[in-house]
C-alpha cells in the first residue's frame, strides 16, 4: 500500500469510528429478563446506564402493527422504579401507554401473548400457544424514542429451545443491536437445519408435517437466496433465519401470511391440495420474502416507499420464476394482465407515492398492483433503450449498492427517484405513475417488445404477437420468452 493511500485509508477509518461513536450515543441500551409461562410473558427490565433515566417518564408499547390493532391492551401489571429501587407512581393514559410521575430506571409488567384471534397476525406479532411461540421484541418490549439495543435473558420451560440470528452470549442469553428487528422462535418439536446459500448461512426451522420434504424446502431457500445475492451483487447480513410454520387445520387451503423482519422470515401457511402446488407456492413465498432481505431490510432508506419494495418484489419474483423455469411465460403475462385489471378497477386513482402513504387505509391493493406494473414498464423501457443490454436488474443493484446499510439514512422515495431519474427513458413512467395518478396506458410500451394487450369486460389479457420481428424477439428473450427451451 502506497503512503498517500494509507493515509486516506486511515482517515476514512477514523471518520467511520467517529460516526460509530456518534450513533452509539444516540442509542439506548436496556437489559431485560423475559419469563414465559403458558401464554404470558413476565418482563423485568432496566436501562443499562442509569444516567439515561433523567428525562424518561413515558412508558409505552407498540399499539398497532400493519392492520393489527389493540396490541397495547396486552400489557398489564406495570410497575416502575427509580434508580434506588423506589416505586415510581404512574398513570395509564390509554392501552399500552403509561406516564410516570418522575424519571424511572427499571420496570416490570405482564404481557398477554394469547394467540391472536385473527390468525394472519401469527406471522407479525408475538404469541405463545401450546408448545411453541414467536417473540418479537418490537411489540414485547417498551418503545423508547431512540434506537434500543438490548441484552435479553429468557426463562423457558427446560425442554424448550430458542432460535435466533441475534448474538447468543450465554444459555438463553442474547444481545441485539436493534430490538425492533429481533425475532425469537421458542418451543419444542420443530426441525432445524443450517444451510449454506450463496455466501450466507441460513437457519431453517420447519414446523408441522408438509407434503414438501425438508430437503425440498432447503433447496428452494438455497437456490433463491443465491440467485438474489448475484442479482444485487452482495448480501446485507451474515446470518439469516427462515421459519416455516403451519396454520391450524381449520384454516382454508391456500392461505398464507409472511413477515420479513431484519434477517428473519416467518411464514405461516395452510397446505395446498397437491404437492406440486405446495412446492410451487413455497417457491413463490420465498421469492417474495427473500427479496425483502434486500428491500427494504437491507437498505438504509426511510419513509413510505412501499410501492417500490412491494411492487418490485412482486415483479422481480415473477421474473425470477420465469428465469428459474418455475412458471411459463404465459403465466408471467397472465399475472401482469390481472394486475392491470385490478389497477383499472380502482375507483380512486392515486399515484404510487400517495398510495404508499395510505397503504393500511385502503390503498394496499394499489401499492401491489400498480407497483408491479410500474416495475414491468421500467424493465421494458430499459431493455428497449439499451437494446437488451440493461434491464431492471441494473437499477435494483444500483439502488441496493448506493443505499445499503452502511450508507447514510435517506428518504426512500427521494433515493429511489434519484436513481431512476438518471435514466431519461424512465421520465414518463415516473411522472405518470409514480408521481402521477394516470391510468396505465401501456400499448406503445408493449408494442416495443411484441406484446398485445386487450381489455374486455374489465379484464386485461396480454399475449405475444403472432409474428414478432427480430428486435421484439430479442427483447422477449430477455424477459424469458422461450426460456423453457434452453
Ligand atoms: Zn412483501
Amino acid at each position: 500500500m502506497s503512503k498517500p493511500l494509507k493515509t486516506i485509508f486511515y482517515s476514512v477509518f477514523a471518520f467511520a469510528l467517529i460516526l460509530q461513536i456518534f450513533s452509539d450515543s444516540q442509542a439506548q441500551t436496556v437489559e431485560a429478563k423475559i419469563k414465559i409461562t403458558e401464554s404470558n410473558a413476565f418482563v423485568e427490565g432496566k436501562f443499562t446506564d442509569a444516567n439515561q433515566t433523567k428525562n424518561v417518564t413515558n412508558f409505552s408499547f407498540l399499539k398497532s402493527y400493519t392492520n393489527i390493532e389493540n396490541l397495547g391492551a396486552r400489557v398489564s401489571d406495570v410497575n416502575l422504579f427509580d434508580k434506588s429501587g423506589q416505586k415510581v407512581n404512574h398513570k395509564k393514559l390509554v392501552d399500552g401507554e403509561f406516564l410516570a410521575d418522575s424519571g424511572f430506571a427499571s420496570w416490570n409488567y405482564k404481557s398477554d401473548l394469547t394467540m391472536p384471534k385473527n390468525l394472519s397476525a401469527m406471522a407479525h406479532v408475538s404469541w405463545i400457544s401450546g408448545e411453541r411461540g414467536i417473540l418479537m421484541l418490537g411489540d414485547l418490549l417498551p418503545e423508547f424514542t431512540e434506537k434500543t439495543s438490548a441484552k435479553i435473558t429468557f426463562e423457558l420451560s427446560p425442554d424448550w429451545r430458542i432460535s435466533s440470528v441475534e448474538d447468543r452470549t450465554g444459555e438463553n442469553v442474547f444481545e441485539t443491536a436493534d430490538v425492533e428487528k429481533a425475532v425469537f422462535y421458542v418451543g419444542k418439536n420443530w426441525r432445524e437445519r443450517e444451510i449454506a446459500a450463496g455466501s450466507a448461512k441460513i437457519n431453517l426451522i420447519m414446523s408441522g408435517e408438509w407434503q414438501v420434504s425438508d430437503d425440498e424446502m432447503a433447496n428452494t431457500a438455497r437456490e433463491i437466496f443465491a440467485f438474489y445475492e448475484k442479482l444485487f451483487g452482495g448480501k446485507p447480513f451474515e446470518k439469516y433465519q427462515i421459519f416455516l410454520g403451519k396454520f391450524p387445520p381449520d384454516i382454508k387451503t391456500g392461505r398464507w401470511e409472511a413477515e420479513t423482519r431484519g434477517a428473519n422470515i416467518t411464514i405461516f401457511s395452510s397446505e395446498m391440495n397437491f404437492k406440486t402446488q405446495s412446492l410451487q407456492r413455497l417457491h413463490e413465498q420465498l421469492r417474495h420474502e427473500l427479496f425483502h432481505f434486500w428491500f427494504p431490510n437491507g437498505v438504509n432508506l426511510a419513509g413510505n416507499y412501499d410501492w417500490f419494495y412491494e411492487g418490485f418484489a412482486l415483479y422481480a419474483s415473477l421474473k425470477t420464476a420465469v428465469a428459474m423455469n418455475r412458471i411459463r411465460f404465459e403465466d408471467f403475462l397472465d399475472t401482469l394482465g390481472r394486475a392491470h385489471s385490478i389497477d383499472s378497477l380502482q375507483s380512486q386513482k392515486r399515484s404510487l407515492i400517495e398510495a404508499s402513504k395510505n397503504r393500511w387505509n385502503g390503498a394496499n391493493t394499489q401499492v401491489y398492483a400498480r407497483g408491479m406494473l410500474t416495475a414491468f414498464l421500467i424493465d421494458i423501457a430499459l431493455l428497449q433503450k439499451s437494446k437488451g443490454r440493461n434491464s431492471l436488474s441494473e437499477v435494483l443493484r444500483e439502488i441496493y449498492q448506493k443505499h445499503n446499510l452502511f450508507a447514510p439514512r435517506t428518504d426512500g422515495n427521494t433515493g429511489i427517484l434519484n436513481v431512476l431519474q438518471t435514466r431519461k427513458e424512465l421520465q414518463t413512467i415516473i411522472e405518470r405513475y409514480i408521481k402521477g395518478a394516470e391510468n396505465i396506458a401501456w400499448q406503445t410500451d408493449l408494442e416495443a417488445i411484441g406484446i398485445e394487450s386487450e381489455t374486455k369486460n374489465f379484464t386485461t389479457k396480454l399475449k405475444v404477437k403472432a409474428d414478432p420481428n427480430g428486435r421484439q424477439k430479442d427483447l422477449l428473450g430477455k424477459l424469458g420468452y422461450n426460456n423453457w427451451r434452453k
Side-chain angles (χ1 to χ4, degrees):
M1 201 183 274
S2 69
K3 204 166 176 207
L5 204 61
K6 206 170 171 181
T7 322
I8 292 166
F9 177 76
Y10 280 132
S11 59
V12 168
F13 181 70
F15 181 62
L17 207 63
I18 289 164
L19 273 178
Q20 184 66 40
I21 291 161
F22 179 73
S23 67
D24 275 354
S25 72
Q26 299 290 302
Q28 186 89 255
T29 310
V30 300
E31 266 179 66
K33 202 194 277 175
I34 301 175
K35 186 178 174 182
I36 302 296
T37 56
E38 300 275 317
S39 55
N40 288 314
F42 293 91
V43 184
E44 271 175 46
K46 62 174 188 184
F47 292 114
T48 307
D49 177 1
N51 295 326
Q52 287 176 328
T53 64
K54 49 189 183 293
N55 289 320
V56 182
T57 50
N58 283 306
F59 192 64
S60 58
F61 292 82
L62 187 69
K63 286 174 206 63
S64 67
Y65 182 70
T66 63
N67 54 356
I68 306 158
E69 306 289 337
N70 297 326
L71 290 172
R74 304 186 305 174
V75 179
S76 66
D77 304 2
V78 171
N79 293 295
L80 304 173
F81 306 92
D82 67 12
K83 265 190 260 187
S84 54
Q86 296 297 309
K87 211 161 170 171
V88 175
N89 287 329
H90 69 269
K91 60 173 178 269
K92 179 173 166 177
L93 301 176
V94 290
D95 281 340
E97 183 97 49
F98 306 85
L99 183 66
D101 288 354
S102 57
F104 60 87
S106 62
W107 52 84
N108 63 48
Y109 56 91
K110 183 174 113 178
S111 188
D112 178 357
L113 300 185
T114 308
M115 177 100 80
K117 280 200 188 68
N118 168 8
L119 289 181
S120 66
M122 281 176 81
H124 306 292
V125 297
S126 302
W127 55 269
I128 300 280
S129 174
E131 56 185 21
R132 63 187 71 99
I134 299 182
L135 303 175
M136 298 187 165
L137 299 190
D139 63 69
L140 192 53
L141 294 188
E143 289 184 313
F144 299 104
T145 43
E146 290 126 18
K147 182 175 160 183
T148 307
S149 58
K151 182 182 170 187
I152 310 289
T153 308
F154 291 94
E155 266 185 50
L156 306 164
S157 122
D159 58 340
W160 277 30
R161 282 186 296 150
I162 186 157
S163 241
S164 180
V165 294
E166 304 304 324
D167 287 338
R168 192 188 282 261
T169 55
E171 205 196 338
N172 295 343
V173 183
F174 294 85
E175 280 180 22
T176 169
D178 185 358
V179 299
E180 270 184 40
K181 307 284 163 56
V183 179
F184 299 86
Y185 303 99
V186 296
K188 60 181 180 181
N189 296 329
W190 67 50
R191 302 166 320 270
E192 191 170 357
R193 62 162 85 173
E194 191 177 78
I195 58 171
S199 68
K201 291 258 184 295
I202 301 178
N203 189 39
L204 191 60
I205 301 171
M206 293 154 294
S207 152
E209 294 307 315
W210 296 90
Q211 300 182 80
V212 176
S213 72
D214 291 3
D215 280 344
E216 285 166 319
M217 288 188 182
N219 288 338
T220 305
R222 190 181 289 127
E223 73 171 350
I224 298 168
F225 188 96
F227 186 94
Y228 283 153
E229 186 179 16
K230 217 162 144 191
L231 172 76
F232 293 112
K235 61 177 191 303
F237 313 105
E238 290 307 310
K239 286 191 290 182
Y240 300 81
Q241 185 147 269
I242 300 175
F243 178 95
L244 297 164
K246 213 164 187 178
F247 270 141
D250 52 319
I251 297 286
K252 81 169 201 278
T253 308
R255 279 242 358 235
W256 64 280
E257 194 71 33
E259 160 105 14
T260 305
R261 186 177 297 191
N264 308 281
I265 290 177
T266 309
I267 301 178
F268 277 93
S269 284
S270 52
E271 194 63 272
M272 299 292 279
N273 290 324
F274 303 104
K275 185 185 163 178
T276 45
Q277 295 172 320
S278 290
L279 185 58
Q280 184 77 329
R281 199 188 44 171
L282 175 72
H283 210 277
E284 184 191 340
Q285 292 165 338
L286 289 177
R287 284 195 315 266
H288 184 96
E289 298 306 321
L290 281 161
F291 181 93
H292 288 323
F293 279 153
W294 282 267
F295 292 111
N297 299 11
V299 286
N300 201 5
L301 294 174
N304 301 112
Y305 64 106
D306 311 37
W307 63 273
F308 177 77
Y309 62 77
E310 291 302 354
F312 286 56
L314 284 179
Y315 180 69
S317 160
L318 194 66
K319 204 177 164 189
T320 302
V322 178
M324 288 185 164
N325 271 323
R326 285 284 165 175
I327 61 169
R328 298 167 309 155
F329 195 70
E330 289 81 355
D331 303 321
F332 172 82
L333 294 182
D334 277 354
T335 307
L336 290 162
R338 267 201 309 279
H340 188 267
S341 316
I342 291 168
D343 187 66
S344 313
L345 282 173
Q346 299 300 318
S347 50
Q348 190 190 356
K349 296 276 175 249
R350 291 182 174 110
S351 72
L352 281 174
I353 290 177
E354 272 307 307
S356 298
K357 279 188 210 154
N358 296 296
R359 180 171 172 191
W360 306 111
N361 292 313
N364 202 23
T365 314
Q366 261 166 328
V367 165
Y368 282 91
R370 196 178 173 87
M372 179 188 208
L373 294 169
T374 303
F376 173 52
L377 290 174
I378 288 176
D379 202 15
I380 301 179
L382 295 168
L383 281 167
Q384 192 196 356
K385 177 77 192 300
S386 67
K387 300 194 169 64
R389 280 188 309 274
N390 286 322
S391 69
L392 182 67
S393 307
E394 281 71 31
V395 169
L396 291 176
R397 192 175 309 140
E398 185 180 329
I399 298 172
Y400 171 67
Q401 300 288 344
K402 215 177 210 153
H403 295 288
N404 64 36
L405 296 174
F406 298 101
R409 191 112 178 117
T410 309
D411 173 70
N413 286 317
T414 312
I416 289 155
L417 287 177
N418 281 347
V419 172
L420 298 181
Q421 269 155 355
T422 58
R423 280 111 170 139
K424 267 215 175 67
E425 63 273 32
L426 303 182
Q427 206 50 52
T428 331
I429 299 169
I430 295 170
E431 294 307 326
R432 282 185 188 163
Y433 310 130
I434 302 178
K435 293 181 178 172
E438 287 183 37
N439 282 325
I440 305 241
W442 56 3
Q443 298 291 356
T444 328
D445 309 276
L446 294 175
E447 170 64 24
I449 55 166
I451 289 175
E452 288 169 343
S453 161
E454 198 185 53
T455 303
K456 253 192 223 158
N457 301 326
F458 308 107
T459 307
T460 306
K461 288 245 177 273
L462 296 186
K463 64 170 200 284
V464 175
K465 278 173 69 168
D467 192 17
N469 64 32
R471 202 171 150 194
Q472 290 166 331
K473 271 189 201 155
D474 280 352
L475 298 182
L476 279 169
K478 297 284 175 188
L479 286 171
Y481 183 53
N482 285 341
N483 208 40
W484 57 273
R485 287 188 195 164
K486 286 176 199 157

